[in-house]
């Protein structure tokens, strides 16, 4: 059974250590049981134990604060590990000291960073998603209003234009333009 001192010690070690500190595998379950027990005692309305109840309520508040601090510090360290792993390619540092839900968080963050890096690379290398289509008009089209409210056209038969994809699709569907390469 975990005690207030165990939670305090875990938070203290995490606060002063650079790396993630090991926690018992059932730490979260034991903290949950501890908090549930303390809530049960704190919710009693007996005058006989009023000092004990006040003390228990304060200990419960402090335990919750310490536990939240512990998890926040661990998340910050995991974020640092994600940044290091994304730069160096080494992603298993401190992995053994992570709780199962923290490992999932780490993996999800790594996937997000990798995805972001790929998008950035494609933008830098000019492979940005095409927003426009180059079309040639198969017939003359009068001036019209685009999705942004601006006027477009008129266009003559055989004229080429670089139009937003959505508008190009409408004009292709109507048989008025043909997409060029």
């Amino acid at each position: 059974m975990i005690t207030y001192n165990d939670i305090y010690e875990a938070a203290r070690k995490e606060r002063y250590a650079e790396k993630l500190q090991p926690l018992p595998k059932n730490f979260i379950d034991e903290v949950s049981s501890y908090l549930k027990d303390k809530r049960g005692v704190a919710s009693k309305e007996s005058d006989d134990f009023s000092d004990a109840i006040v003390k228990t309520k304060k200990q419960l508040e402090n335990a919750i604060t310490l536990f939240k601090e512990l998890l926040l510090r661990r998340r910050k360290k995991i974020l640092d590990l994600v940044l290091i792993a994304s730069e160096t390619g080494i992603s298993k540092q401190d992995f053994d000291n992570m709780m199962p839900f923290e490992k999932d968080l780490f993996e999800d963050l790594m996937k997000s960073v990798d995805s972001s890096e790929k998008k950035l690379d494609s933008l830098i290398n000019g492979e940005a998603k095409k927003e426009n289509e180059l079309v040639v008009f198969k017939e003359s089209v009068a001036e019209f209003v685009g999705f942004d409210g601006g006027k477009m056209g008129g266009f003559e038969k055989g004229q080429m234009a670089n139009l937003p994809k959505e508008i190009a699709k409408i004009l292709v569907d109507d048989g008025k333009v043909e997409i060029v390469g």
Side-chain angles (χ1 to χ4, degrees):
M1 178 74 181
I2 201 166
T3 66
Y4 175 82
N5 285 339
D6 295 330
I7 297 170
Y8 175 82
E9 268 309 298
R12 186 188 66 75
K13 285 179 183 176
E14 204 66 56
R15 183 182 305 132
Y16 294 112
E18 189 176 321
K19 293 185 174 192
L20 277 175
Q21 296 302 294
L23 293 172
K25 289 186 185 218
N26 57 352
F27 184 77
I28 301 295
D29 293 335
E30 287 193 22
V31 168
S32 175
S33 295
Y34 170 82
L35 295 176
K36 184 178 178 183
D37 290 346
K38 291 296 179 185
R39 283 186 184 111
V41 171
S43 67
K44 293 183 180 172
E45 297 291 333
S46 174
D47 290 336
D48 297 339
F49 302 106
S50 62
D51 288 342
I53 291 174
V54 168
K55 182 179 176 183
T56 300
K57 284 182 180 179
K58 189 64 179 168
Q59 196 174 48
L60 174 63
E61 289 173 16
N62 290 341
I64 290 170
T65 301
L66 284 169
F67 184 67
K68 286 181 179 179
E69 177 191 341
L70 170 69
L71 292 181
L72 179 64
R73 289 185 186 282
R74 290 179 69 83
R75 278 191 210 117
K76 285 180 180 178
K77 290 178 183 181
I78 290 169
L79 285 172
D80 287 342
L81 290 172
V82 166
L83 293 175
I84 291 167
S86 70
E87 292 299 316
T88 63
I90 301 169
S91 64
K92 300 302 180 194
Q93 183 182 5
D94 280 353
F95 210 67
D96 293 337
N97 291 341
M98 290 183 199
M99 305 294 289
F101 70 93
E102 292 173 329
K103 289 178 183 177
D104 292 342
L105 172 64
F106 180 85
E107 294 295 336
D108 291 345
L109 289 171
M110 283 301 298
K111 288 177 188 171
S112 293
V113 169
D114 287 343
S115 173
S116 176
E117 286 291 323
K118 287 177 184 170
K119 287 177 187 173
L120 178 61
D121 286 346
S122 69
L123 289 171
I124 288 173
N125 295 324
E127 300 166 12
K129 185 173 81 175
K130 287 179 27 181
E131 299 292 328
N132 291 340
E133 290 281 359
L134 184 60
V135 297
V136 63
F137 283 82
K138 293 165 53 174
E139 59 184 71
S140 295
V141 174
E143 182 178 82
F144 59 91
V145 177
F147 291 124
D148 62 355
K151 294 180 181 178
M152 301 185 84
F155 299 99
E156 299 296 320
K157 181 179 179 177
Q159 185 178 353
M160 293 179 85
N162 197 15
L163 301 176
K165 272 189 166 186
E166 301 88 15
I167 292 174
K169 182 178 180 339
I170 292 169
L171 292 171
V172 166
D173 291 346
D174 287 345
K176 299 187 187 268
V177 299
E178 196 173 272
I179 293 177
V180 178

